[in-house]
Amino acid sequence: MRQDDIYIKKIDWLTISIYALLVVIGWFNIYAAVYDEQAAKSIFDFSINSGKQLAWIGTALLLITIIMVADYRIFENLSWILYIILLVLLIVTPIFGKEVKGQVLTIGFGSFRIQPSEFAKFATALALAKFMERPSLDLSQFKHQLQVLTIIFIPIILIMLQPDTGTAMVYTAFFIMLYREGMPQRYYVLALTFITVSLLALGVENNLYIVIGVVALVVILILMGKKKISRIIGLSLLGLIIIGYTYSLDYVVSKLPEHQQNRIMVLFNPDLDPLGVGWNVTQSKIAIGSGGFLGKGYLEGTQTKFDFVPEQHTDFIFCTLGEEFGWIGSLVVIFLFCALLIRLVFLAERQKTRFSRVYGYSVISILFFHFMINIAMTIGLFPVVGIPLPFFSYGGSSLWSFTILLFIFIKLDSHRIQLLGRMK
């Protein structure tokens, strides 16, 4: 049997099939999101978003071909170079990029523009994999923790300068991968506590309730027999820190731009401004809810036809699916995403080198974060932060970056035996 035949058989065609299904379903939903019954155009018409997306899909196929025929060693050898190139692009974007709605996210020439922050995801994943493949690396050591976090937070800082809070948040998904690779659990407990207290502080109108709750917790623990002075002092200090944090958080939020403050407030009170800042989420939930169990039918969505939901072909593409295909259609797409993530976990665990495993879990982390946050955003469980649904939302940079991210891992997986041979 020829070497090429062996290589083709080792490609994970199941993952590729799920990818193809998501891209095709997303393409049909992009057409539905811009469909105008009065002036209906073909789905292949390049003057509308579905036609443009088809062009992006075609170029994505070209990228896939390049990745799959390239030498698998190139991704490891060029990891740091790609990371540095993307950092440079992130630096020059606010300087030479085009400003849209107060953000400078894209650079390019004429109508061709790319969003470097999207492509920096796979570059950061490769850099982390390259750095963490060292046998001496131990994430229980603070020095190594600091080095890994530096790789992650440099692009976060540069993206915040654009400013693009939503995309910057995506890079925190790498902490999922770090947990698999041995990052101490105490950091995750601390982060969960931080998030919980933040939600309480933002969601409760009167912080006095939080103060009472913390004091009550300390008193209860003391009465339960925790008589050691050190524990009592420790709990008291923790209570004071939480109280201080809740009030300082109010101050920080008050300094955010008004539209970001409103998005946070709408999360806890959707009826705060239903005709203003809460319009997107309110209309998205109406669209999804109106779809019922089986949906209204393809191209029959009323919320879609009359443009009630802004950005429906990008960030809110999921509500088009919910309205026209109902609970069943939404469940099918959620199942496909879950199947993809579970399959990728299986692939990551069977890797023979740490480089491939770290990169694989980075891919899983990023896709999981986008999938969860985007859907939570469209149903009002998370503030609107402008995060696209992978392989589904309209946009060339988004589709290209997710395609490159995924297929580099598929390429590495198909050569996992050869990668092991290089390590010996």
Side-chain angles (χ1 to χ4, degrees):
M1 185 178 291
R2 294 185 308 169
Q3 187 68 28
D4 289 345
D5 294 335
I6 297 173
Y7 162 66
I8 291 173
K9 285 188 176 182
K10 289 186 179 295
I11 294 175
D12 191 72
W13 294 103
L14 177 58
T15 300
I16 294 176
S17 299
I18 298 173
Y19 162 84
L21 277 172
L22 288 171
V23 170
V24 171
I25 296 172
W27 178 54
F28 277 104
N29 275 275
I30 289 169
Y31 179 63
V34 298
Y35 179 74
D36 184 350
E37 195 172 24
Q38 301 300 321
K41 296 182 179 181
S42 167
I43 191 172
F44 302 101
D45 193 322
F46 287 98
S47 67
I48 59 176
N49 288 337
S50 61
K52 295 174 184 176
Q53 186 71 3
L54 183 61
W56 292 119
I57 293 171
T59 51
L61 293 176
L62 178 61
L63 288 174
I64 292 171
T65 303
I66 293 172
I67 292 171
M68 299 309 288
V69 301
D71 190 325
Y72 66 94
R73 292 167 289 194
I74 195 172
F75 304 111
E76 183 177 355
N77 295 336
L78 296 181
S79 297
W80 287 113
I81 295 176
L82 289 171
Y83 180 71
I84 292 170
I85 290 174
L86 266 298
L87 290 184
V88 172
L89 290 177
L90 289 176
I91 291 171
V92 303
T93 296
I95 302 172
F96 301 104
K98 180 180 180 180
E99 181 175 343
V100 178
K101 297 180 180 180
Q103 295 179 310
V104 184
L105 307 180
T106 61
I107 55 174
F109 302 95
S111 60
F112 177 78
R113 312 196 69 81
I114 62 170
Q115 187 173 338
S117 58
E118 290 290 338
F119 295 95
K121 296 170 189 175
F122 79 83
T124 304
L126 285 171
L128 283 169
K130 183 64 176 176
F131 179 78
M132 294 177 65
E133 75 170 350
R134 299 182 304 168
S136 60
L137 185 129
D138 183 1
L139 287 180
S140 65
Q141 296 182 17
F142 180 73
K143 178 180 70 173
H144 293 160
Q145 295 168 9
L146 187 61
Q147 291 169 339
V148 168
L149 293 178
T150 300
I151 296 172
I152 296 173
F153 277 95
I154 289 176
I156 288 178
I157 293 170
L158 294 176
I159 292 169
M160 288 298 294
L161 295 176
Q162 296 181 359
D164 186 3
T165 307
T167 303
M169 286 175 57
V170 174
Y171 288 76
T172 62
F174 286 114
F175 281 90
I176 300 174
M177 175 274 293
L178 293 179
Y179 181 79
R180 166 62 181 84
E181 294 302 316
M183 182 70 85
Q185 292 184 5
R186 61 180 178 272
Y187 294 119
Y188 296 87
V189 174
L190 183 63
L192 183 60
T193 303
F194 171 80
I195 293 170
T196 302
V197 173
S198 298
L199 291 174
L200 285 171
L202 292 171
V204 178
E205 293 184 2
N206 190 343
N207 283 336
L208 178 62
Y209 296 134
I210 298 177
V211 175
I212 294 173
V214 170
V215 173
L217 174 63
V218 174
V219 171
I220 290 171
L221 290 173
I222 292 174
L223 293 177
M224 287 176 64
K226 305 296 185 181
K227 295 183 179 180
K228 289 186 177 180
I229 298 298
S230 59
R231 291 189 179 182
I232 295 174
I233 294 174
L235 287 169
S236 300
L237 288 174
L238 177 62
L240 291 173
I241 291 172
I242 292 175
I243 292 170
Y245 172 73
T246 58
Y247 282 100
S248 62
L249 184 64
D250 281 346
Y251 174 78
V252 172
V253 171
S254 69
K255 298 301 180 181
L256 292 174
E258 185 177 358
H259 72 279
Q260 293 184 354
Q261 292 184 43
N262 291 335
R263 286 176 178 178
I264 293 172
M265 293 302 104
V266 166
L267 175 66
F268 298 101
N269 185 4
D271 299 324
L272 180 66
D273 187 11
L275 298 180
V277 69
W279 176 264
N280 289 25
V281 175
T282 300
Q283 296 303 316
S284 175
K285 291 193 290 186
I286 290 173
I288 294 172
S290 66
F293 187 72
L294 295 175
K296 298 176 180 177
Y298 187 56
L299 303 181
E300 298 298 326
T302 53
Q303 294 290 111
T304 298
K305 284 182 180 179
F306 299 110
D307 294 326
F308 281 105
V309 185
E311 310 299 335
Q312 192 163 342
H313 59 296
T314 54
D315 300 339
F316 285 88
I317 190 69
F318 188 77
C319 71
T320 303
L321 175 75
E323 182 179 21
E324 299 194 345
F325 294 96
W327 184 84
I328 289 294
S330 301
L331 184 63
V332 168
V333 169
I334 290 173
F335 172 80
L336 286 174
F337 273 108
C338 291
L340 176 63
L341 292 170
I342 292 170
R343 182 62 181 174
L344 290 176
V345 170
F346 171 78
L347 298 185
E349 286 297 328
R350 76 177 183 182
Q351 297 309 301
K352 307 299 182 181
T353 65
R354 193 175 192 182
F355 175 85
S356 297
R357 187 180 70 240
V358 168
Y359 182 79
Y361 270 100
S362 297
V363 174
I364 295 164
S365 302
I366 293 171
L367 293 179
F368 174 76
F369 191 91
H370 270 271
F371 164 63
M372 292 296 294
I373 297 301
N374 179 271
I375 293 180
M377 186 177 70
T378 59
I379 60 178
L381 296 179
F382 198 86
V384 178
V385 290
I387 292 180
L389 189 59
F391 317 122
F392 225 83
S393 295
Y394 171 78
S397 292
S398 172
L399 179 61
W400 278 12
S401 65
F402 286 125
T403 298
I404 294 171
L405 181 76
L406 177 63
F407 277 86
I408 287 177
F409 182 49
I410 292 175
K411 176 70 173 181
L412 293 174
D413 175 70
S414 66
H415 287 280
R416 59 189 180 277
I417 302 301
Q418 290 94 318
L419 280 166
L420 178 61
R422 290 181 59 206
M423 299 296 295
K424 292 181 178 179

